[in-house]
Amino acid sequence: MFSRVARPTATLLRSLSTSSQHNAKVAVLGASGGIGQPLSLLLKNSPLVSELSLYDIAHTPGVAADLSHIETRATVTGYMGADQLGAALKGCDVVVIPAGVPRKPGMTRDDLFNTNATIVATLADACARHCPQAMICVISNPVNSTIPITSEVMKKHGVYNPNSVFGVTTLDIVRANAFVAELKGLDPARVNVPVVGGHAGKTIIPLISQCTPKVEFPTDQLSALTGRIQEAGTEVVKAKAGAGSATLSMAYAGARFTFSLLDAMNGKEGVVECAFVRSEETECKYFSTPLLLSKNGIEKNLGLGKLSAFEEKLVAEAMDELKGSIKKGEDFVANMK
């Protein structure tokens, strides 16, 4: 059985190796970028995907030609430029959006807002017009604002379904699993840490108290571990020294979430992933918590569960920043011409 949070690698490995046949058309918007290319490679490798539609403003025909030579069954088509966006989205079951600019040293995710907000709003508008029933998975930062943007754009078209719009926070879970496993000498494939809240800095709230297997840390180590999970993206940005942000680990996490969603859409029961979604679980309109997925997207929000006093404090401290980021996204769409 699945624990409260999906196993970190089981879904990914199964989707790469299983012989079961499923038919899903998946679009990657931003497929030529640092996340888009490795993400497209992972999707091409999966028998869960029958059609892979790759869109970007440049280089997509080359990426598509390259991937099309791989001996897996997914057909790959590249689309380039705004005039081909509609064709890229037609008939899609799932749309994954890693488009946008990455962080550079010294930048916060919120510094990306002006550029990426416009990109995400444009792509969400196209999804609303050309594949309104599709599951929309947004990777583009700042996720705390781009999910409200996506939702408000879909509302303008009268096609918003809160159960099918996801902010992909999976990399926070992947990192938490890896870091806890490293500290405790565990197999990371068997570690599950739910991560709730948002997807930036102190809004990233790892629930170490709910980790399976159960782990315990002294207060100072718990605080340091939490801080590392919250700032892990910055760790990569600094290490890449101006050459970009987390791309390979983000592609892995994006693929993991997409495969979980496709598994659930194919009728698999008990699939749970955390994601940043419309929520009634806290005073924030959007919040990431473990979600039970189904063919309809979100079947049930599993909520926060029992929190430790340390985690309750983290949730309380995240609220103002999260509300501000959500409002910033909503205001952006309200003020769009």
Side-chain angles (χ1 to χ4, degrees), residues 104-164:
K104 291 186 167 59
M107 291 175 77
T108 65
R109 288 182 180 90
D110 198 53
D111 291 334
L112 305 174
F113 182 89
N114 290 338
T115 302
N116 288 359
T118 303
I119 292 169
V120 170
T122 302
L123 297 176
D125 182 84
C127 291
R129 294 172 192 274
H130 299 287
C131 56
Q133 304 299 317
M135 303 289 168
I136 313 293
C137 308
V138 181
I139 292 171
S140 311
N141 275 314
V143 166
N144 293 356
S145 299
T146 55
I147 283 301
I149 287 170
T150 302
S151 302
E152 292 302 311
V153 169
M154 302 296 271
K155 283 179 194 174
K156 279 191 169 184
H157 288 274
V159 295
Y160 176 57
N161 177 357
N163 294 324
S164 63

Side-chain angles (χ1 to χ4, degrees), residues 28-289:
V28 179
L29 308 184
S32 300
I35 297 167
Q37 288 199 42
L39 173 60
S40 298
L41 173 62
L42 290 168
L43 295 173
K44 169 64 173 144
N45 271 340
S46 172
L48 295 171
V49 180
S50 57
E51 285 184 72
L52 192 54
S53 179
L54 307 183
Y55 172 81
D56 214 319
I57 55 172
H59 309 306
T60 10
V63 175
D66 197 356
L67 288 175
S68 72
H69 294 181
I70 292 172
E71 55 184 352
T72 54
R73 76 184 187 109
T75 59
V76 186
T77 312
Y79 300 89
M80 188 170 74
D83 57 332
Q84 295 186 14
L85 179 54
L89 292 169
K90 189 176 180 186
C92 282
D93 302 295
V94 177
V95 179
V96 191
I97 307 180
V101 296
R103 283 199 288 162
K104 291 186 167 59
M107 291 175 77
T108 65
R109 288 182 180 90
D110 198 53
D111 291 334
L112 305 174
F113 182 89
N114 290 338
T115 302
N116 288 359
T118 303
I119 292 169
V120 170
T122 302
L123 297 176
D125 182 84
C127 291
R129 294 172 192 274
H130 299 287
C131 56
Q133 304 299 317
M135 303 289 168
I136 313 293
C137 308
V138 181
I139 292 171
S140 311
N141 275 314
V143 166
N144 293 356
S145 299
T146 55
I147 283 301
I149 287 170
T150 302
S151 302
E152 292 302 311
V153 169
M154 302 296 271
K155 283 179 194 174
K156 279 191 169 184
H157 288 274
V159 295
Y160 176 57
N161 177 357
N163 294 324
S164 63
V165 177
F166 303 91
V168 180
T169 62
T170 315
L171 184 50
D172 298 324
I173 292 89
V174 166
R175 286 167 166 157
N177 293 341
F179 299 166
V180 167
E182 185 183 352
L183 287 171
K184 291 295 185 184
L186 298 168
D187 175 0
R190 300 192 177 280
V191 176
N192 294 313
V193 181
V195 181
V196 302
H199 184 59
K202 69 180 182 183
T203 70
I204 298 168
I205 303 161
L207 304 183
I208 308 292
S209 73
Q210 295 180 22
C211 177
T212 53
K214 187 163 178 57
V215 294
E216 291 185 356
F217 295 97
T219 306
D220 58 339
Q221 196 177 19
L222 177 63
S223 182
L225 172 62
T226 299
R228 187 183 177 203
I229 294 164
Q230 291 175 330
E231 295 303 326
T234 304
E235 189 178 309
V236 176
V237 169
K238 285 180 179 173
K240 288 194 173 182
S245 57
T247 53
L248 302 173
S249 53
M250 185 61 248
Y252 168 88
R256 172 183 149 174
F257 184 81
T258 305
F259 295 146
S260 289
L261 191 53
L262 289 170
D263 269 341
M265 290 166 73
N266 286 326
K268 183 175 177 61
E269 296 184 354
V271 179
V272 177
E273 288 281 1
C274 296
F276 187 67
V277 298
R278 188 78 174 85
S279 174
E280 308 290 324
E281 298 301 316
T282 69
E283 61 201 69
C284 281
K285 285 187 200 173
Y286 299 84
F287 205 82
S288 181
T289 41

